[in-house]
Amino acid sequence: MSGPRRTRTLDRRQRSGRRHDETGRFEADPDFLAKGSEAVTAAVLDEVVDGYGPVVQVLQEQIDAIEDQLFAGQVDPGVSKRISQLLSEVLAFQRATTPVPAMVTGLLRGADKYGVDDDVQHRLRNVHDHALRVTERVDSFRALLENALTLHATLVSQEQNEAMRRMTSASLAQGEESRQLARAAHRQGEEVKKISSWAAILFAPGLIAGVYGMNFDHMPEPHWRSGYPVAILGMLLLTGVLWSIFRKRNGL
């Protein structure tokens, strides 16, 4: 059963129980009630304040459960809602209990003034002390829940920051891997360009040698006395020109 629902159920049970037991309890102490309307008022207030005890106990148990979950480092999205609901219940309970000590104090001042029976005054003082303890507990509950809400928000923020850091680290790692792949592709492209350049350089003299190795009958150049050195010189010049060009472009 959720916290607020459990508290409301307990309140209903307490009200029902008080309706059944109130008459019996009052009748169990007729001598006290016979001391006048002040005694009846004191008995009613005592009964009301005693009824706060089980509510305080339930609230304490629920707050302890929330604190255990928070200090265990569990970031449950539903915890914030539970804390808010329980804080709403505590605030409502606080509004109901806070006026009681001041009201009893006023009754005690009137009792001193009008000479109310000592037993009635003693019971009013007990009610006042009990009501003060209840209001102090409720004040502490409110502070604890507000701190718990702040702590939960901090834990959620830390969890989100950690998730962002993990995503950033993964993104950086992926970016570094992409850069490495790009560098490898660039190096591969440079190697391909160098190989292509050397292939073109070697193709030029091979083309000249292939032409003059065809052994056609009607080729005037093979009969030149200077044909061989001219062919060699042409191969060297063409190779040198190509090598110079590719060196500037492809970094040979």
Side-chain angles (χ1 to χ4, degrees):
M1 182 181 295
S2 63
R5 185 180 300 174
R6 182 180 179 186
T7 303
R8 289 192 293 267
T9 302
L10 183 57
D11 289 342
R12 288 195 296 268
R13 291 176 179 176
Q14 289 171 345
R15 289 194 296 267
S16 177
R18 285 197 296 270
R19 285 194 298 268
H20 286 87
D21 299 339
E22 185 176 345
T23 303
R25 290 183 181 181
F26 289 167
E27 292 177 351
D29 194 4
D31 293 338
F32 180 79
L33 297 178
K35 294 179 180 181
S37 59
E38 295 87 356
V40 175
T41 302
V44 171
L45 288 174
D46 193 11
E47 184 70 18
V48 170
V49 174
D50 284 344
Y52 293 155
V55 179
V56 171
Q57 182 63 31
V58 170
L59 292 174
Q60 182 67 65
E61 292 174 357
Q62 295 182 13
I63 292 172
D64 290 342
I66 290 175
E67 287 181 337
D68 292 341
Q69 189 171 8
L70 289 177
F71 289 124
Q74 300 177 6
V75 183
D76 185 357
V79 172
S80 179
K81 183 177 180 181
R82 287 176 55 199
I83 295 174
S84 299
Q85 292 174 343
L86 189 57
L87 181 58
S88 177
E89 293 288 331
V90 169
L91 290 174
F93 189 44
Q94 188 180 44
R95 286 191 294 269
T97 58
T98 299
V100 175
M103 181 173 59
V104 177
T105 300
L107 291 175
L108 285 171
R109 285 197 298 265
D112 291 335
K113 181 177 179 180
Y114 295 105
V116 176
D117 187 87
D118 291 340
D119 290 340
V120 175
Q121 294 189 42
H122 177 70
R123 189 160 185 177
L124 285 174
R125 281 191 290 270
N126 289 337
V127 172
H128 182 266
D129 293 340
H130 191 184
L132 279 180
R133 289 194 298 270
V134 171
T135 55
E136 290 173 357
R137 292 285 300 277
V138 175
D139 289 341
S140 67
F141 290 164
R142 178 177 180 177
L144 287 172
L145 288 172
E146 289 174 346
N147 293 334
L149 197 60
T150 302
L151 177 60
H152 182 263
T154 302
L155 292 175
V156 171
S157 178
Q158 290 178 348
E159 182 71 16
Q160 291 175 347
N161 291 336
E162 183 63 26
M164 289 298 296
R165 281 195 294 269
R166 289 194 296 267
M167 293 175 60
T168 302
S169 299
S171 179
L172 290 174
Q174 186 176 5
E176 181 62 26
E177 183 178 356
S178 298
R179 285 192 293 272
Q180 291 178 356
L181 290 174
R183 286 194 293 268
H186 178 71
R187 288 194 299 268
Q188 186 177 6
E190 291 297 323
E191 293 296 329
V192 170
K193 287 195 295 184
K194 290 180 180 180
I195 293 172
S196 300
S197 299
W198 281 111
I201 292 172
L202 297 176
F203 174 75
L207 177 61
I208 296 174
V211 170
Y212 287 100
M214 292 181 183
N215 297 321
F216 290 116
D217 292 334
H218 302 287
M219 292 182 65
E221 293 85 355
H223 300 290
W224 292 353
R225 289 183 177 273
S226 59
Y228 176 75
V230 169
I232 295 299
L233 182 61
M235 292 178 186
L236 292 176
L237 288 175
L238 185 56
T239 300
V241 170
L242 292 175
W243 181 81
S244 298
I245 294 173
F246 289 134
R247 181 184 180 186
K248 292 180 180 179
R249 294 184 178 179
N250 300 334
L252 293 178

Short mmCIF file of all heavy atoms in Angstrom, two decimals, residues 112-168:
data_model
loop_
_atom_site.label_atom_id
_atom_site.label_comp_id
_atom_site.label_asym_id
_atom_site.label_seq_id
_atom_site.Cartn_x
_atom_site.Cartn_y
_atom_site.Cartn_z
N ASP A 112 -5.81 28.90 35.05
CA ASP A 112 -5.19 29.58 36.20
C ASP A 112 -6.05 30.77 36.66
O ASP A 112 -6.17 31.04 37.86
CB ASP A 112 -3.80 30.08 35.82
CG ASP A 112 -2.82 28.92 35.62
OD1 ASP A 112 -3.06 27.85 36.22
OD2 ASP A 112 -1.83 29.09 34.88
N LYS A 113 -6.64 31.43 35.69
CA LYS A 113 -7.42 32.63 36.01
C LYS A 113 -8.71 32.30 36.73
O LYS A 113 -9.12 33.00 37.68
CB LYS A 113 -7.71 33.39 34.72
CG LYS A 113 -8.50 34.67 34.94
CD LYS A 113 -8.69 35.39 33.60
CE LYS A 113 -9.51 36.67 33.79
NZ LYS A 113 -9.71 37.40 32.51
N TYR A 114 -9.38 31.22 36.30
CA TYR A 114 -10.70 30.90 36.84
C TYR A 114 -10.68 29.77 37.86
O TYR A 114 -11.74 29.26 38.25
CB TYR A 114 -11.66 30.55 35.71
CG TYR A 114 -11.92 31.72 34.78
CD1 TYR A 114 -11.35 31.77 33.53
CD2 TYR A 114 -12.73 32.78 35.19
CE1 TYR A 114 -11.56 32.85 32.68
CE2 TYR A 114 -12.96 33.86 34.35
CZ TYR A 114 -12.37 33.89 33.09
OH TYR A 114 -12.58 34.97 32.25
N GLY A 115 -9.51 29.35 38.27
CA GLY A 115 -9.40 28.36 39.33
C GLY A 115 -9.92 26.99 38.97
O GLY A 115 -10.64 26.36 39.75
N VAL A 116 -9.56 26.50 37.79
CA VAL A 116 -9.98 25.17 37.36
C VAL A 116 -9.26 24.12 38.21
O VAL A 116 -8.14 24.33 38.70
CB VAL A 116 -9.66 24.99 35.86
CG1 VAL A 116 -10.00 23.57 35.39
CG2 VAL A 116 -10.43 26.01 35.03
N ASP A 117 -9.90 22.98 38.37
CA ASP A 117 -9.38 21.90 39.21
C ASP A 117 -7.95 21.53 38.79
O ASP A 117 -7.59 21.55 37.62
CB ASP A 117 -10.29 20.68 39.09
CG ASP A 117 -9.90 19.59 40.06
OD1 ASP A 117 -10.37 19.61 41.19
OD2 ASP A 117 -9.11 18.73 39.63
N ASP A 118 -7.11 21.19 39.77
CA ASP A 118 -5.70 20.87 39.51
C ASP A 118 -5.54 19.66 38.60
O ASP A 118 -4.62 19.59 37.78
CB ASP A 118 -4.96 20.63 40.84
CG ASP A 118 -4.82 21.92 41.64
OD1 ASP A 118 -4.92 23.01 41.04
OD2 ASP A 118 -4.60 21.82 42.86
N ASP A 119 -6.43 18.65 38.78
CA ASP A 119 -6.33 17.47 37.92
C ASP A 119 -6.57 17.83 36.45
O ASP A 119 -5.91 17.30 35.55
CB ASP A 119 -7.34 16.41 38.36
CG ASP A 119 -6.97 15.78 39.69
OD1 ASP A 119 -5.77 15.87 40.06
OD2 ASP A 119 -7.86 15.21 40.35
N VAL A 120 -7.51 18.72 36.22
CA VAL A 120 -7.78 19.15 34.85
C VAL A 120 -6.58 19.91 34.29
O VAL A 120 -6.17 19.69 33.15
CB VAL A 120 -9.06 20.02 34.81
CG1 VAL A 120 -9.28 20.57 33.41
CG2 VAL A 120 -10.26 19.22 35.28
N GLN A 121 -6.00 20.79 35.11
CA GLN A 121 -4.82 21.53 34.65
C GLN A 121 -3.65 20.58 34.38
O GLN A 121 -2.91 20.76 33.41
CB GLN A 121 -4.42 22.58 35.69
CG GLN A 121 -5.44 23.69 35.87
CD GLN A 121 -4.92 24.81 36.74
OE1 GLN A 121 -3.77 25.22 36.59
NE2 GLN A 121 -5.75 25.32 37.65
N HIS A 122 -3.50 19.59 35.25
CA HIS A 122 -2.41 18.63 35.05
C HIS A 122 -2.60 17.87 33.74
O HIS A 122 -1.64 17.67 32.97
CB HIS A 122 -2.37 17.65 36.23
CG HIS A 122 -1.34 16.58 36.08
ND1 HIS A 122 0.02 16.83 36.16
CD2 HIS A 122 -1.47 15.24 35.84
CE1 HIS A 122 0.68 15.70 35.99
NE2 HIS A 122 -0.20 14.71 35.79
N ARG A 123 -3.84 17.50 33.47
CA ARG A 123 -4.10 16.76 32.22
C ARG A 123 -3.89 17.67 31.02
O ARG A 123 -3.36 17.23 29.98
CB ARG A 123 -5.52 16.21 32.23
CG ARG A 123 -5.80 15.25 31.09
CD ARG A 123 -6.98 14.38 31.40
NE ARG A 123 -7.22 13.38 30.38
CZ ARG A 123 -8.16 12.45 30.45
NH1 ARG A 123 -8.95 12.38 31.52
NH2 ARG A 123 -8.32 11.57 29.49
N LEU A 124 -4.27 18.93 31.13
CA LEU A 124 -4.04 19.86 30.04
C LEU A 124 -2.54 20.05 29.78
O LEU A 124 -2.10 20.15 28.63
CB LEU A 124 -4.70 21.21 30.34
CG LEU A 124 -6.22 21.28 30.20
CD1 LEU A 124 -6.74 22.63 30.67
CD2 LEU A 124 -6.63 21.03 28.73
N ARG A 125 -1.76 20.10 30.86
CA ARG A 125 -0.31 20.24 30.68
C ARG A 125 0.27 19.00 29.99
O ARG A 125 1.17 19.11 29.14
CB ARG A 125 0.36 20.48 32.03
CG ARG A 125 0.25 21.92 32.51
CD ARG A 125 1.15 22.19 33.70
NE ARG A 125 0.66 21.50 34.89
CZ ARG A 125 -0.20 22.03 35.76
NH1 ARG A 125 -0.66 23.25 35.57
NH2 ARG A 125 -0.58 21.34 36.82
N ASN A 126 -0.24 17.82 30.34
CA ASN A 126 0.21 16.60 29.65
C ASN A 126 -0.16 16.64 28.16
O ASN A 126 0.63 16.25 27.29
CB ASN A 126 -0.41 15.37 30.31
CG ASN A 126 0.17 15.09 31.68
OD1 ASN A 126 1.29 15.51 31.99
ND2 ASN A 126 -0.58 14.39 32.52
N VAL A 127 -1.37 17.10 27.89
CA VAL A 127 -1.79 17.23 26.49
C VAL A 127 -0.88 18.22 25.75
O VAL A 127 -0.47 17.99 24.61
CB VAL A 127 -3.26 17.68 26.40
CG1 VAL A 127 -3.64 18.01 24.97
CG2 VAL A 127 -4.18 16.59 26.96
N HIS A 128 -0.57 19.32 26.44
CA HIS A 128 0.30 20.33 25.82
C HIS A 128 1.68 19.76 25.50
O HIS A 128 2.22 19.96 24.40
CB HIS A 128 0.42 21.54 26.76
CG HIS A 128 1.25 22.65 26.21
ND1 HIS A 128 2.60 22.78 26.49
CD2 HIS A 128 0.93 23.67 25.37
CE1 HIS A 128 3.06 23.84 25.87
NE2 HIS A 128 2.08 24.41 25.16
N ASP A 129 2.27 19.03 26.45
CA ASP A 129 3.59 18.44 26.21
C ASP A 129 3.55 17.43 25.07
O ASP A 129 4.45 17.39 24.21
CB ASP A 129 4.09 17.76 27.49
CG ASP A 129 4.37 18.76 28.61
OD1 ASP A 129 4.55 19.96 28.28
OD2 ASP A 129 4.40 18.36 29.78
N HIS A 130 2.51 16.61 25.06
CA HIS A 130 2.37 15.61 24.00
C HIS A 130 2.19 16.28 22.65
O HIS A 130 2.79 15.88 21.64
CB HIS A 130 1.18 14.70 24.32
CG HIS A 130 1.10 13.49 23.45
ND1 HIS A 130 0.07 12.57 23.51
CD2 HIS A 130 1.93 13.04 22.46
CE1 HIS A 130 0.27 11.64 22.62
NE2 HIS A 130 1.38 11.89 21.96
N ALA A 131 1.37 17.34 22.62
CA ALA A 131 1.14 18.05 21.36
C ALA A 131 2.43 18.71 20.87
O ALA A 131 2.70 18.73 19.66
CB ALA A 131 0.03 19.09 21.53
N LEU A 132 3.22 19.26 21.77
CA LEU A 132 4.50 19.86 21.38
C LEU A 132 5.43 18.82 20.77
O LEU A 132 6.10 19.09 19.76
CB LEU A 132 5.17 20.52 22.59
CG LEU A 132 4.68 21.91 22.98
CD1 LEU A 132 5.44 22.41 24.20
CD2 LEU A 132 4.87 22.88 21.82
N ARG A 133 5.50 17.64 21.39
CA ARG A 133 6.35 16.58 20.85
C ARG A 133 5.89 16.18 19.44
O ARG A 133 6.70 15.96 18.54
CB ARG A 133 6.36 15.37 21.78
CG ARG A 133 7.12 15.61 23.06
CD ARG A 133 7.40 14.30 23.78
NE ARG A 133 6.17 13.62 24.18
CZ ARG A 133 5.55 13.80 25.34
NH1 ARG A 133 6.05 14.68 26.22
NH2 ARG A 133 4.46 13.13 25.64
N VAL A 134 4.58 16.11 19.26
CA VAL A 134 4.05 15.75 17.94
C VAL A 134 4.42 16.81 16.90
O VAL A 134 4.88 16.49 15.80
CB VAL A 134 2.52 15.55 18.01
CG1 VAL A 134 1.95 15.41 16.60
CG2 VAL A 134 2.19 14.31 18.82
N THR A 135 4.21 18.08 17.25
CA THR A 135 4.52 19.14 16.29
C THR A 135 6.02 19.18 15.96
O THR A 135 6.40 19.44 14.82
CB THR A 135 4.07 20.50 16.84
OG1 THR A 135 4.67 20.73 18.13
CG2 THR A 135 2.57 20.56 16.96
N GLU A 136 6.84 18.91 16.96
CA GLU A 136 8.29 18.86 16.69
C GLU A 136 8.64 17.71 15.76
O GLU A 136 9.46 17.86 14.85
CB GLU A 136 9.05 18.74 18.02
CG GLU A 136 9.00 20.00 18.87
CD GLU A 136 9.61 19.79 20.24
OE1 GLU A 136 10.02 18.63 20.54
OE2 GLU A 136 9.68 20.76 21.02
N ARG A 137 8.02 16.56 15.98
CA ARG A 137 8.26 15.42 15.08
C ARG A 137 7.81 15.75 13.66
O ARG A 137 8.49 15.44 12.68
CB ARG A 137 7.51 14.18 15.58
CG ARG A 137 8.04 13.60 16.88
CD ARG A 137 9.34 12.84 16.69
NE ARG A 137 9.20 11.72 15.78
CZ ARG A 137 8.73 10.51 16.13
NH1 ARG A 137 8.31 10.32 17.38
NH2 ARG A 137 8.66 9.53 15.25
N VAL A 138 6.63 16.38 13.56
CA VAL A 138 6.11 16.71 12.23
C VAL A 138 7.02 17.72 11.55
O VAL A 138 7.27 17.63 10.34
CB VAL A 138 4.67 17.23 12.34
CG1 VAL A 138 4.16 17.70 10.98
CG2 VAL A 138 3.76 16.16 12.89
N ASP A 139 7.53 18.70 12.31
CA ASP A 139 8.47 19.67 11.73
C ASP A 139 9.73 18.96 11.21
O ASP A 139 10.25 19.29 10.14
CB ASP A 139 8.86 20.72 12.77
CG ASP A 139 7.73 21.67 13.09
OD1 ASP A 139 6.80 21.76 12.27
OD2 ASP A 139 7.76 22.31 14.16
N SER A 140 10.21 18.00 12.00
CA SER A 140 11.40 17.26 11.57
C SER A 140 11.09 16.41 10.33
O SER A 140 11.92 16.28 9.44
CB SER A 140 11.91 16.37 12.70
OG SER A 140 10.99 15.32 13.00
N PHE A 141 9.86 15.85 10.27
CA PHE A 141 9.47 15.09 9.07
C PHE A 141 9.50 15.98 7.84
O PHE A 141 9.98 15.57 6.77
CB PHE A 141 8.07 14.51 9.25
CG PHE A 141 7.97 13.40 10.26
CD1 PHE A 141 6.74 13.01 10.78
CD2 PHE A 141 9.12 12.76 10.71
CE1 PHE A 141 6.66 11.99 11.70
CE2 PHE A 141 9.03 11.73 11.64
CZ PHE A 141 7.81 11.35 12.15
N ARG A 142 8.97 17.17 7.97
CA ARG A 142 8.95 18.10 6.83
C ARG A 142 10.38 18.41 6.37
O ARG A 142 10.67 18.39 5.17
CB ARG A 142 8.22 19.38 7.22
CG ARG A 142 8.20 20.43 6.11
CD ARG A 142 7.40 21.65 6.52
NE ARG A 142 7.39 22.64 5.46
CZ ARG A 142 6.72 23.79 5.51
NH1 ARG A 142 6.00 24.08 6.59
NH2 ARG A 142 6.76 24.63 4.51
N ALA A 143 11.26 18.70 7.33
CA ALA A 143 12.65 19.00 6.97
C ALA A 143 13.32 17.79 6.32
O ALA A 143 14.05 17.93 5.32
CB ALA A 143 13.43 19.43 8.20
N LEU A 144 13.08 16.59 6.86
CA LEU A 144 13.68 15.39 6.29
C LEU A 144 13.21 15.15 4.86
O LEU A 144 14.01 14.80 3.97
CB LEU A 144 13.35 14.18 7.16
CG LEU A 144 14.08 14.09 8.50
CD1 LEU A 144 13.50 12.95 9.34
CD2 LEU A 144 15.58 13.88 8.29
N LEU A 145 11.92 15.33 4.63
CA LEU A 145 11.39 15.09 3.28
C LEU A 145 11.89 16.14 2.30
O LEU A 145 12.19 15.82 1.13
CB LEU A 145 9.86 15.09 3.33
CG LEU A 145 9.23 13.88 4.00
CD1 LEU A 145 7.73 14.07 4.17
CD2 LEU A 145 9.51 12.61 3.20
N GLU A 146 11.98 17.38 2.73
CA GLU A 146 12.53 18.41 1.84
C GLU A 146 13.99 18.11 1.50
O GLU A 146 14.42 18.25 0.34
CB GLU A 146 12.41 19.78 2.51
CG GLU A 146 10.97 20.28 2.58
CD GLU A 146 10.84 21.58 3.36
OE1 GLU A 146 11.82 21.94 4.05
OE2 GLU A 146 9.78 22.22 3.30
N ASN A 147 14.77 17.67 2.50
CA ASN A 147 16.16 17.29 2.24
C ASN A 147 16.22 16.05 1.34
O ASN A 147 17.11 15.95 0.48
CB ASN A 147 16.89 17.02 3.55
CG ASN A 147 17.07 18.28 4.38
OD1 ASN A 147 17.11 19.38 3.84
ND2 ASN A 147 17.19 18.13 5.69
N ALA A 148 15.30 15.11 1.57
CA ALA A 148 15.28 13.91 0.74
C ALA A 148 14.97 14.26 -0.70
O ALA A 148 15.54 13.68 -1.65
CB ALA A 148 14.26 12.91 1.28
N LEU A 149 14.05 15.21 -0.89
CA LEU A 149 13.71 15.63 -2.26
C LEU A 149 14.91 16.28 -2.93
O LEU A 149 15.19 16.02 -4.11
CB LEU A 149 12.52 16.60 -2.20
CG LEU A 149 11.77 16.84 -3.51
CD1 LEU A 149 11.18 15.54 -4.03
CD2 LEU A 149 10.68 17.87 -3.30
N THR A 150 15.64 17.09 -2.18
CA THR A 150 16.86 17.71 -2.73
C THR A 150 17.92 16.66 -3.04
O THR A 150 18.58 16.71 -4.09
CB THR A 150 17.41 18.74 -1.73
OG1 THR A 150 16.42 19.73 -1.45
CG2 THR A 150 18.65 19.41 -2.29
N LEU A 151 18.08 15.70 -2.12
CA LEU A 151 19.07 14.64 -2.35
C LEU A 151 18.72 13.81 -3.56
O LEU A 151 19.59 13.47 -4.37
CB LEU A 151 19.16 13.75 -1.10
CG LEU A 151 20.10 12.54 -1.21
CD1 LEU A 151 21.52 12.98 -1.50
CD2 LEU A 151 20.03 11.71 0.08
N HIS A 152 17.44 13.48 -3.72
CA HIS A 152 17.03 12.69 -4.87
C HIS A 152 17.29 13.45 -6.17
O HIS A 152 17.75 12.87 -7.16
CB HIS A 152 15.56 12.32 -4.76
CG HIS A 152 15.06 11.47 -5.87
ND1 HIS A 152 14.40 11.98 -6.96
CD2 HIS A 152 15.17 10.13 -6.11
CE1 HIS A 152 14.10 11.02 -7.80
NE2 HIS A 152 14.54 9.88 -7.31
N ALA A 153 16.97 14.75 -6.16
CA ALA A 153 17.24 15.56 -7.36
C ALA A 153 18.74 15.57 -7.67
O ALA A 153 19.15 15.52 -8.84
CB ALA A 153 16.72 16.97 -7.16
N THR A 154 19.57 15.63 -6.62
CA THR A 154 21.02 15.61 -6.82
C THR A 154 21.47 14.27 -7.40
O THR A 154 22.31 14.23 -8.32
CB THR A 154 21.74 15.87 -5.49
OG1 THR A 154 21.32 17.14 -4.96
CG2 THR A 154 23.25 15.89 -5.68
N LEU A 155 20.92 13.17 -6.87
CA LEU A 155 21.29 11.85 -7.39
C LEU A 155 20.86 11.68 -8.84
O LEU A 155 21.60 11.13 -9.66
CB LEU A 155 20.64 10.75 -6.53
CG LEU A 155 21.17 10.62 -5.09
CD1 LEU A 155 20.34 9.59 -4.32
CD2 LEU A 155 22.64 10.23 -5.10
N VAL A 156 19.67 12.18 -9.16
CA VAL A 156 19.20 12.10 -10.55
C VAL A 156 20.10 12.92 -11.46
O VAL A 156 20.47 12.48 -12.55
CB VAL A 156 17.74 12.59 -10.65
CG1 VAL A 156 17.31 12.72 -12.10
CG2 VAL A 156 16.81 11.62 -9.93
N SER A 157 20.50 14.12 -10.98
CA SER A 157 21.38 14.96 -11.79
C SER A 157 22.73 14.29 -11.99
O SER A 157 23.30 14.32 -13.10
CB SER A 157 21.55 16.32 -11.09
OG SER A 157 22.44 17.15 -11.82
N GLN A 158 23.26 13.68 -10.93
CA GLN A 158 24.54 12.97 -11.06
C GLN A 158 24.43 11.80 -12.03
O GLN A 158 25.34 11.56 -12.82
CB GLN A 158 25.00 12.49 -9.69
CG GLN A 158 25.44 13.60 -8.75
CD GLN A 158 25.83 13.08 -7.39
OE1 GLN A 158 25.59 11.92 -7.05
NE2 GLN A 158 26.43 13.93 -6.58
N GLU A 159 23.32 11.07 -11.95
CA GLU A 159 23.13 9.95 -12.86
C GLU A 159 23.05 10.43 -14.31
O GLU A 159 23.63 9.83 -15.22
CB GLU A 159 21.84 9.21 -12.49
CG GLU A 159 21.55 7.98 -13.33
CD GLU A 159 22.50 6.84 -13.06
OE1 GLU A 159 23.19 6.88 -12.01
OE2 GLU A 159 22.56 5.91 -13.88
N GLN A 160 22.35 11.55 -14.53
CA GLN A 160 22.26 12.10 -15.88
C GLN A 160 23.62 12.58 -16.37
O GLN A 160 23.98 12.38 -17.52
CB GLN A 160 21.24 13.25 -15.90
CG GLN A 160 19.80 12.79 -15.69
CD GLN A 160 18.83 13.96 -15.60
OE1 GLN A 160 19.25 15.12 -15.44
NE2 GLN A 160 17.55 13.68 -15.68
N ASN A 161 24.38 13.23 -15.46
CA ASN A 161 25.72 13.69 -15.85
C ASN A 161 26.63 12.52 -16.19
O ASN A 161 27.42 12.59 -17.13
CB ASN A 161 26.33 14.52 -14.71
CG ASN A 161 25.63 15.85 -14.51
OD1 ASN A 161 25.00 16.36 -15.44
ND2 ASN A 161 25.73 16.41 -13.33
N GLU A 162 26.51 11.44 -15.40
CA GLU A 162 27.33 10.27 -15.67
C GLU A 162 26.95 9.65 -17.01
O GLU A 162 27.83 9.22 -17.79
CB GLU A 162 27.14 9.24 -14.55
CG GLU A 162 28.01 8.00 -14.69
CD GLU A 162 29.49 8.31 -14.63
OE1 GLU A 162 29.87 9.32 -14.01
OE2 GLU A 162 30.28 7.54 -15.22
N ALA A 163 25.65 9.62 -17.30
CA ALA A 163 25.22 9.10 -18.60
C ALA A 163 25.73 9.98 -19.74
O ALA A 163 26.17 9.47 -20.79
CB ALA A 163 23.69 9.02 -18.64
N MET A 164 25.70 11.29 -19.54
CA MET A 164 26.22 12.19 -20.56
C MET A 164 27.71 12.00 -20.75
O MET A 164 28.22 12.04 -21.88
CB MET A 164 25.92 13.64 -20.16
CG MET A 164 24.45 14.03 -20.27
SD MET A 164 23.83 13.91 -21.97
CE MET A 164 24.84 15.15 -22.77
N ARG A 165 28.44 11.78 -19.64
CA ARG A 165 29.88 11.54 -19.75
C ARG A 165 30.17 10.26 -20.52
O ARG A 165 31.09 10.20 -21.34
CB ARG A 165 30.52 11.49 -18.36
CG ARG A 165 30.75 12.85 -17.74
CD ARG A 165 31.71 12.75 -16.56
NE ARG A 165 31.11 11.99 -15.48
CZ ARG A 165 30.40 12.54 -14.52
NH1 ARG A 165 30.18 13.85 -14.51
NH2 ARG A 165 29.91 11.81 -13.55
N ARG A 166 29.36 9.22 -20.24
CA ARG A 166 29.57 7.97 -20.97
C ARG A 166 29.27 8.15 -22.45
O ARG A 166 30.01 7.64 -23.31
CB ARG A 166 28.67 6.87 -20.38
CG ARG A 166 29.10 6.39 -19.00
CD ARG A 166 28.40 5.10 -18.64
NE ARG A 166 26.97 5.27 -18.52
CZ ARG A 166 26.35 5.55 -17.37
NH1 ARG A 166 27.04 5.68 -16.26
NH2 ARG A 166 25.03 5.69 -17.33
N MET A 167 28.19 8.89 -22.74
CA MET A 167 27.87 9.14 -24.15
C MET A 167 28.95 9.97 -24.83
O MET A 167 29.32 9.72 -25.98
CB MET A 167 26.51 9.84 -24.24
CG MET A 167 25.33 8.99 -23.82
SD MET A 167 23.76 9.91 -23.80
CE MET A 167 23.66 10.41 -25.53
N THR A 168 29.47 10.96 -24.09
CA THR A 168 30.54 11.80 -24.66
C THR A 168 31.80 10.98 -24.90
O THR A 168 32.46 11.13 -25.94
CB THR A 168 30.84 12.97 -23.71
OG1 THR A 168 29.64 13.73 -23.51
CG2 THR A 168 31.91 13.88 -24.29
#
